[in-house]
């Protein structure tokens, strides 16, 4: 392996020099790191018809993956060096361009192909390469199952990590056809995007190996190419296959019927809705232990986090719902993302937002729609509203100058706000027009790329409405409206005035087009509706005038609009009184949410909300809503109450949970209260109850305690500083020697409230390549346990300073998890001042600065609520 490296100077444009020597022009050329928008546009203009033929050799426990690649492509012109992307510590050699040997010139993560060797028209490039394999921070990830010693390898290339594994044009709009050949141990199964078409016994370097050749793919982006290898076992159902590591095969067989049935139904419903057949020759699902995301939508071969499918505790309805949403989200990607791919990652919402929305849309055809859209509101809207209320928010369309920054585009804006706005759009233009627009979009751009303007154009054509002003407001503007209603009644108890108004939550002067349905609630339990619309700061609602005077009004019944819909003081008091008597679960969920929005806006004291929950929660029979209410009560208790008020609530809160663990009418509710107790237990009595569960002296009626439940108890007792914590952790570690046990023993250890423990773990987070990323992510809440903010505050500034390293080395969501834990784990004004000082003194790159501002504003809200009491 060899190559010449060219030094690049710090300019954001290509530098080209011509040196005339004996009549030969020798170009010296360099490009920026990563893939800039300019480079991508230039390559997309001149490169087409790309095909990759890749051969790799997978060897047990090897640190490197040797391979050979051949790339065929058409070139419109050959006047400049053409950069291939090959980043990181990968090695390359034996380069041939159009059959002739060529010197490898590397520059800032690229291999420069000389224009003297290229030509207009068809070209071919071939070379050998090597790339790294490790348990973390490498393009090929290794997982070793300690229960049986088996090794598993998998790839994960989103957003631009294919170029860490092999040379390629690593941009989403240079779609290509891939052919893969893999040599691997004979006991291994290899899964890739297409079916295997040939298998043979091979001798590689005097080793017996098994060769697998896969059919050529349809055109896909580099980040959607993938393979996994190891001694997987498969379960099958009518053409679908689920691959799982051997030690989990028995459990997978138990869960597979439900997953297969869901996938079959989802595929049929999506095929009908999209009016497009499934886009690829086959569809496999591969369970990956320790996978850093819930799933990844590789074309024809979705990789799923093993824990998202195979439950480690007795599942609640919320657990099975989340699994269904994940399975259908990744399935929807086969159309939105894989068949039609965004041209650039600033349109990430075109795939993630649509996949999220279509998961719920499909579920709404399998279950009662009101149940599914209630779930959508509870799981999607809070995160979207939370980020949109901060100065770290972004528009849905996010300008990404270089794919090195693409990781920053992932978050609540594309996963929560974008699907919420798609629901708004479907309401505004009607379901039939929405469906027709989607069908046209997929038909016109199949196996190609598209931009958000293409989609809006198709929706406009289908509905007959010019949606460009709507899209400009909702897709190109950041933030959201805060919507309030001013109303009054006359002496005859009729509505005499009714005006809806909006303001920009961030005070940046934006307004949005809003169409909503206002709820009128009456003291006798009746309800009425008023349609309201505004395109400016305020508008009257003439349809309300003359209606009977309500007890309260709420501006977003059925959750068809997007924004912070706050209750006026009179309505807030009336809603508190009405909640126990509202039979409609969706409406009850919306009004509980409106009260919580009032807490976050300092219009209701957190103690009032917590007290209301303590009174009403035992009567709530809907497990999904109970989880939502209990989660907010937990936030009020752990973050929004000062110490003295928290102590006053502790016994009542814990005793309610202990009582409902035994007495709640359903298994779902009993598990919900059990998990709630683990999360908030602080008193000696509550810790004693948890130890009784651990020792078997107490039990949840009808619910066996699983391994993960036991570890959750141990972790809570460690973090709470229970005197028996060391003994319990040691005993549980000896008892559970599985992979999960090793992981959660390490995770629980992060909770010990000593400076030495925190220093040790923090150092390992930043310097130990041997600690798996999912271990670190799982341990962050224990390190920053909610009762240990004072102890962990010295790590706040170092955690912020580490962000550039983490952005470079870690996977997509890691930086968000890191900030949520280190900044979100603080509650004091001193911590807020530390973050503000860091922002003032440290020159963070723009996208990291936004991520910091996001959590900074949430910390400021917490401080504001605490100081108001």
């Amino acid at each position: 392996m060899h190559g010449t490296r060219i030094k690049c100077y710090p300019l954001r444009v290509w530098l080209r020099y011509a040196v005339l020597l004996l009549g030969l022009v020798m170009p010296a050329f360099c490009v920026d790191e990563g893939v800039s928008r300019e480079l991508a546009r230039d390559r997309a203009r001149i490169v087409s018809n790309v095909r990759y033929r890749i051969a790799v050799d997978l060897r047990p426990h090897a640190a490197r993956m040797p391979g050979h690649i051949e790339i065929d492509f058409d070139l419109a012109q050959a006047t400049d060096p053409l950069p291939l992307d090959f980043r990181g510590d990968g090695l390359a050699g034996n380069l041939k361009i159009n059959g002739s040997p060529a010197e490898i010139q590397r520059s800032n993560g690229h291999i420069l192909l000389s224009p003297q060797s290229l030509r207009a028209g068809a070209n071919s490039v071939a070379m050998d390469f090597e790339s790294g394999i490790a348990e973390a921070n490498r393009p090929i990830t290794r997982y070793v199952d300690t229960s049986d010693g088996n090794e598993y390898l998998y790839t994960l290339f989103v957003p631009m990590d294919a170029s860490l594994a092999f040379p390629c044009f690593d941009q989403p709009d240079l779609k290509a056809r891939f052919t893969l050949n893999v040599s691997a141990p004979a006991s291994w199964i290899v899964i890739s995007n297409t079916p295997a078409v040939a298998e043979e016994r091979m001798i590689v370097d005097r080793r017996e190996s098994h060769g697998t050749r896969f059919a050529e793919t349809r055109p896909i982006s580099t980040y959607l190419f993938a393979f996994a290898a190891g001694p997987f076992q498969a379960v099958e159902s009518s053409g679908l296959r689920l691959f799982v590591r051997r030690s989990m095969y028995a459990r997978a067989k138990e869960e597979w019927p439900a997953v297969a049935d869901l996938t079959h139904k989802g595929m049929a419903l999506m095929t009908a809705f999209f009016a497009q057949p499934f886009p690829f020759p086959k569809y496999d699902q591969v369970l990956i232990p320790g996978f850093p995301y819930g799933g990844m939508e590789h074309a024809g071969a979705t990789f799923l986090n093993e824990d998202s499918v195979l439950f480690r505790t007795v599942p609640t309805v919320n657990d099975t719902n989340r699994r269904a949403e994940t399975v259908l989200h990744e399935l929807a990607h086969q159309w939105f993302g894989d068949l039609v791919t965004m041209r650039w990652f600033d349109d990430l919402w075109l795939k993630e937002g649509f996949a999220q929305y279509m998961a719920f849309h499909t579920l709404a055809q399998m279950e009662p729609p009101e149940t599914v859209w209630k779930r959508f509101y509870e799981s999607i809207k809070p995160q979207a509203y939370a980020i949109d209320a901060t100065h770290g928010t972004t528009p849905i369309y996010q300008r990404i100058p270089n794919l090195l920054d693409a990781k920053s585009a992932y978050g609540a804006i594309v996963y929560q706000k974008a699907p919420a706005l798609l629901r708004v759009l479907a309401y505004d233009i009607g379901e039939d027009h929405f469906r027709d627009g989607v069908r046209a979009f997929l038909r016109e751009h199949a196996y190609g790329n598209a931009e958000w303007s293409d989609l809006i154009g198709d929706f406009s054509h289908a509905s007959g409405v010019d949606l460009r002003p709507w899209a400009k407001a909702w897709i190109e503007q950041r933030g959201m409206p805060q919507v309030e209603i001013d109303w009054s009644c006359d002496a005859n108890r009729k509505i005499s005035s009714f005006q809806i108004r909006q303001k920009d939550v961030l005070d940046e002067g934006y307004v949005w087009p809003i169409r909503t349905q206002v709820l009128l609630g009456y003291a006798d339990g009746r309800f009425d509706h008023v349609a309201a619309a505004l395109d400016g700061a305020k508008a009257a609602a003439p349809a309300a005038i003359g209606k009977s005077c309500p007890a309260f009004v709420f501006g977003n019944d059925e959750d068809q609009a997007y924004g912070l819909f706050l209750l006026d003081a009179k309505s807030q008091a009336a809603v508190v009184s009405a909640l126990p008597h509202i039979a409609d679960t969706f409406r009850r969920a919306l009004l509980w949410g409106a009260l919580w929005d009032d807490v976050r806006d300092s219009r209701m004291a957190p103690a009032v909300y917590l007290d209301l929950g303590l009174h009403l929660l035992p009567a709530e029979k809907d497990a999904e809503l109970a989880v939502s209410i209990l989660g907010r009560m937990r936030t009020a208790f752990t973050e929004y109450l000062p110490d003295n008020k928290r102590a006053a609530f502790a016994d009542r809160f814990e005793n309610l949970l202990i009582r409902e663990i035994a007495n709640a009418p359903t298994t779902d509710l009993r598990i919900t209260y059990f998990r709630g107790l683990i999360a908030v237990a602080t008193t000696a009595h509550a810790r004693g109850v948890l130890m009784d569960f651990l020792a078997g002296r107490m039990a949840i009626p009808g619910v066996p305690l699983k391994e993960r439940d036991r570890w959750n108890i141990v972790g809570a007792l460690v973090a709470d500083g229970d005197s028996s914590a060391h003994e319990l952790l040691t005993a549980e570690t000896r008892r559970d020697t599985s992979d999960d046990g090793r992981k959660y023993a390490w995770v629980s250890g992060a909770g010990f409230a000593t400076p030495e423990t925190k220093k040790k773990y923090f150092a390992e987070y930043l310097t130990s390549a041997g600690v798996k990323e999912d271990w670190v992510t799982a341990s962050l809440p224990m390190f920053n346990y909610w009762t240990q903010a004072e102890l962990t505050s010295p790590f706040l500034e170092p955690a912020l300073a580490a962000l550039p390293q983490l952005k470079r080395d870690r996977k997509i969501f890691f930086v968000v998890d890191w900030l949520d834990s280190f900044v979100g784990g603080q509650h004091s004004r001193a911590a807020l001042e530390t973050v503000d000082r860091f922002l003032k003194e440290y020159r963070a790159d723009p996208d990291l600065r936004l991520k910091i501002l996001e959590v900074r504003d949430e910390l400021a809200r917490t401080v504001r609520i605490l100081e108001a009491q």
Side-chain angles (χ1 to χ4, degrees):
M1 300 295 173
H2 64 279
T4 300
R5 293 189 179 272
I6 298 175
K7 179 180 179 181
C8 280
Y9 297 94
L11 299 177
R12 296 193 60 80
V13 297
W14 293 3
L15 302 178
R16 183 170 57 196
Y17 303 94
V19 180
L20 188 61
L21 179 63
L22 299 177
L24 180 64
V25 176
M26 302 281 294
F29 190 86
C30 66
V31 287
D32 290 340
E33 288 187 85
V35 178
S36 68
R37 184 190 297 269
E38 291 76 15
L39 171 59
R41 284 175 174 166
D42 284 338
R43 286 197 305 206
R45 179 175 53 85
I46 62 173
V47 176
S48 61
N49 297 327
V50 182
R51 275 183 159 85
Y52 297 98
R53 292 185 297 279
I54 303 171
V56 297
D57 182 18
L58 303 180
R59 306 174 184 179
H61 309 294
R64 309 285 291 178
M65 179 185 75
H68 180 79
I69 187 167
E70 298 174 5
I71 310 173
D72 296 335
F73 57 92
D74 290 346
L75 196 60
Q77 60 189 51
T79 56
D80 294 322
L82 179 65
L84 270 177
D85 310 319
F86 193 37
R87 302 185 296 125
D89 62 357
L91 303 176
N94 299 324
L95 172 64
K96 290 185 178 181
I97 303 177
N98 291 321
S100 299
E103 181 183 1
I104 292 180
Q105 294 185 331
R106 300 190 70 166
S107 174
N108 277 344
H110 305 277
I111 295 174
L112 303 181
L113 305 179
S114 168
Q116 281 75 30
S117 301
L118 297 169
R119 59 194 176 217
N123 290 265
S124 65
V125 172
M127 74 185 82
D128 298 327
F129 66 90
E130 277 191 6
S131 50
I133 302 173
E135 292 188 346
N137 300 335
R138 288 294 182 274
I140 318 298
T141 300
R142 171 187 292 112
Y143 180 89
V144 177
D145 189 338
T146 56
S147 65
D148 58 14
N150 281 318
E151 176 184 9
Y152 299 86
L153 304 177
Y154 68 90
T155 61
L156 182 58
F157 295 150
V158 64
M160 59 166 298
D161 286 354
S163 53
L164 290 172
F166 57 89
C168 59
F169 300 113
D170 206 1
Q171 61 189 75
D173 60 342
L174 278 179
K175 285 191 163 183
R177 296 178 183 270
F178 290 80
T179 303
L180 175 66
N181 284 270
V182 179
S183 65
S187 62
W188 287 14
I189 290 176
V190 184
I191 308 105
S192 190
N193 304 91
T194 54
V197 293
E199 298 189 37
E200 61 179 344
R201 178 179 173 272
M202 306 171 63
I203 302 296
V204 180
D205 292 341
R206 292 180 291 184
R207 295 177 296 107
E208 182 174 341
S209 187
H210 184 79
T212 305
R213 180 165 61 87
F214 292 90
E216 185 179 66
T217 70
R218 292 172 184 171
I220 59 174
S221 300
T222 47
Y223 78 89
L224 295 170
F225 170 70
F227 61 84
F232 286 100
Q233 290 188 271
V235 287
E236 300 187 36
S237 172
S238 302
L240 295 178
R241 298 185 298 178
L242 178 77
F243 290 91
V244 63
R245 55 178 164 142
R246 283 184 177 175
S247 63
M248 302 299 289
Y249 179 68
R251 186 177 296 179
K253 285 181 67 177
E254 295 176 2
E255 299 291 346
W256 172 239
V259 175
D261 182 62
L262 177 71
T263 306
H264 279 298
K265 289 179 178 176
M267 195 174 289
L269 289 168
M270 290 181 192
T271 296
F273 185 80
F274 296 143
Q276 283 276 350
F278 186 77
F280 302 102
K282 56 91 178 175
Y283 188 58
D284 293 331
Q285 293 159 308
V286 186
L287 301 188
I288 305 291
F291 198 63
Y293 320 142
M296 178 59 208
E297 69 275 11
H298 307 116
T302 284
F303 291 1
L304 294 165
N305 185 302
E306 188 179 84
D307 284 357
S308 69
V309 175
L310 308 183
F311 300 122
R312 300 296 199 270
T313 63
V314 175
T316 66
V317 63
N318 285 69
D319 297 324
T320 55
N321 287 341
R322 279 192 294 270
R323 180 171 70 182
E325 291 154 19
T326 298
V327 168
L328 293 176
H329 174 108
E330 304 305 336
L331 177 62
H333 267 311
Q334 301 296 307
W335 288 269
F336 270 94
D338 297 5
L339 174 66
V340 179
T341 310
M342 75 268 157
R343 190 171 304 283
W344 192 245
F345 272 84
D346 45 21
D347 268 328
L348 180 65
W349 74 279
L350 278 183
K351 75 182 190 77
E352 296 300 344
F354 251 99
Q356 193 81 314
Y357 177 72
M358 285 309 305
F360 284 92
H361 187 280
T362 304
L363 281 170
Q365 299 172 73
M366 300 181 185
E367 304 175 33
E370 62 276 9
T371 300
V372 174
W373 295 120
K374 173 184 71 71
R375 190 183 310 153
F376 181 88
Y377 163 75
E378 291 171 332
S379 62
I380 295 293
K381 288 295 191 69
Q383 293 181 65
Y385 291 161
I387 187 175
D388 253 350
T390 75
H391 289 87
T393 194
T394 68
I396 289 178
Y397 175 83
Q398 303 180 48
R399 298 189 182 278
I400 306 296
N402 191 304
L403 290 187
L404 286 174
D405 301 318
K407 292 179 182 178
S408 64
Y410 288 78
I413 292 299
V414 297
Y415 283 93
Q416 275 77 36
K417 183 176 183 177
L421 263 297
L422 289 169
R423 175 160 160 78
V424 169
L425 182 61
Y427 173 73
D428 285 356
I429 67 174
E431 177 71 13
D432 290 347
H433 292 150
F434 184 87
R435 178 203 62 211
D436 292 345
V438 168
R439 288 177 174 179
F441 178 77
L442 292 174
R443 184 173 61 250
E444 292 163 9
H445 303 285
Y447 302 106
N449 299 85
E451 300 175 350
W452 71 269
S453 57
D454 299 315
L455 180 66
I456 295 303
D458 287 325
F459 281 135
S460 295
H461 181 75
S463 65
V465 177
D466 182 1
L467 293 169
R468 286 175 296 179
W470 183 94
K472 183 175 180 60
W474 286 111
I475 295 173
E476 294 191 289
Q477 291 177 181
R478 75 173 191 162
M480 66 176 173
Q482 176 175 306
V483 182
E484 299 183 66
I485 298 172
D486 300 316
W487 58 284
S488 61
C489 299
D490 59 23
N492 296 319
R493 302 296 298 159
K494 301 292 184 182
I495 296 175
S496 55
S497 65
F498 202 94
Q499 187 176 73
I500 184 169
R501 54 186 168 87
Q502 65 166 305
K503 74 166 188 174
D504 183 346
V505 168
L506 301 179
D507 292 324
E508 294 178 341
Y510 293 128
V511 293
W512 292 264
I514 299 173
R515 306 289 179 270
T516 190
Q517 185 171 262
V518 179
L519 177 69
L520 308 180
Y522 293 91
D524 61 3
R526 290 183 299 113
F527 296 98
D528 200 355
H529 295 96
V530 173
L534 69 163
D535 294 300
K538 57 185 178 180
I545 304 302
K547 287 183 175 288
S548 298
C549 188
F552 67 86
V553 300
F554 171 61
N556 191 19
D557 196 37
E558 296 186 10
D559 193 38
Q560 302 285 10
Y562 184 90
L564 193 62
F565 288 82
L566 295 175
L567 297 168
D568 61 88
K570 180 181 177 182
S571 293
Q572 182 192 111
V575 166
V576 168
S577 298
L579 267 178
H581 313 293
I582 296 175
D584 184 279
T585 308
F586 192 2
R587 184 166 291 150
R588 203 161 63 247
L590 288 167
L591 294 175
W592 271 109
L595 292 176
W596 183 245
D597 288 338
D598 279 357
V599 172
R600 288 175 49 81
D601 200 57
S602 298
R603 299 181 179 212
M604 172 181 272
V608 173
Y609 189 95
L610 186 56
D611 189 67
L612 185 67
L614 291 173
H615 280 96
L616 299 185
L617 189 58
E620 182 55 64
K621 299 302 184 288
D622 184 272
E624 294 174 309
L625 180 53
V627 167
S628 177
I629 297 168
L630 185 57
R632 292 167 179 151
M633 291 171 64
R634 174 188 173 185
T635 300
F637 181 75
T638 61
E639 297 182 28
Y640 291 169
L641 289 183
D643 290 344
N644 60 330
K645 289 192 176 181
R646 185 185 303 118
F649 272 100
D651 284 333
R652 288 178 60 201
F653 198 4
E654 292 170 348
N655 288 336
L656 169 95
L657 296 170
I658 293 167
R659 184 174 65 249
E660 293 303 314
I661 291 170
N663 298 328
T666 67
T667 299
D668 283 336
L669 288 168
R670 292 193 289 274
I671 297 172
T672 295
Y673 291 122
F674 171 70
R675 294 175 182 174
L677 179 64
I678 293 173
V680 303
T682 55
T683 67
H685 173 61
R687 291 198 300 272
V689 169
L690 292 179
M691 282 190 282
D692 285 342
F693 278 115
L694 199 63
R697 293 186 293 267
M698 290 183 66
I700 310 169
V703 181
L705 208 64
K706 295 294 186 75
E707 303 299 330
R708 186 66 60 81
D709 298 317
R710 297 181 62 85
W711 280 115
N712 290 340
I713 292 174
V714 170
L717 293 172
V718 166
D720 282 338
D722 191 85
S723 59
S724 62
H726 281 280
E727 179 185 346
L728 291 171
L729 179 57
T730 300
E732 198 65 23
T733 302
R734 289 173 179 166
R735 200 190 68 81
D736 184 0
T737 58
S738 68
D739 274 7
D740 234 25
R742 291 172 56 246
K743 172 181 176 178
Y744 281 95
W746 190 83
V747 166
S748 298
F752 280 114
T754 67
E756 294 75 22
T757 295
K758 303 305 181 185
K759 289 177 184 177
K760 171 182 176 292
Y761 273 80
F762 193 82
E764 290 194 46
Y765 291 160
L766 299 181
T767 62
S768 177
V771 180
K772 298 174 184 176
E773 188 165 303
D774 66 305
W775 286 33
V776 176
T777 303
S779 74
L780 292 176
M782 297 301 299
F783 183 101
N784 295 282
Y785 202 71
W786 65 273
T787 58
Q788 300 177 14
E790 187 174 346
L791 176 63
T792 58
S793 61
F795 296 92
L796 179 54
E797 191 165 354
L800 293 170
L803 289 172
Q805 172 191 340
L806 298 173
K807 176 185 172 182
R808 181 184 66 247
D809 295 341
R810 298 293 188 175
K811 298 299 183 185
I812 286 170
F813 300 107
F814 187 88
V815 165
V816 174
D817 292 335
W818 181 267
L819 284 169
D820 282 346
S821 294
F822 279 96
V823 180
Q826 297 296 315
H827 312 124
S828 68
R829 179 159 292 279
L832 179 61
E833 291 169 353
T834 296
V835 178
D836 286 343
R837 184 171 59 252
F838 182 86
L839 284 166
K840 182 178 180 180
E841 297 174 357
Y842 186 78
R843 293 183 177 272
D845 65 47
D847 65 293
L848 282 180
R849 184 175 182 84
L850 285 172
K851 295 298 184 190
I852 298 169
L853 284 171
E854 178 185 331
V855 291
R856 180 265 173 210
D857 282 6
E858 192 63 34
L859 173 57
R861 181 188 299 274
T862 299
V863 171
R864 188 165 58 247
I865 292 172
L866 282 166
E867 291 180 348
Q869 299 175 71

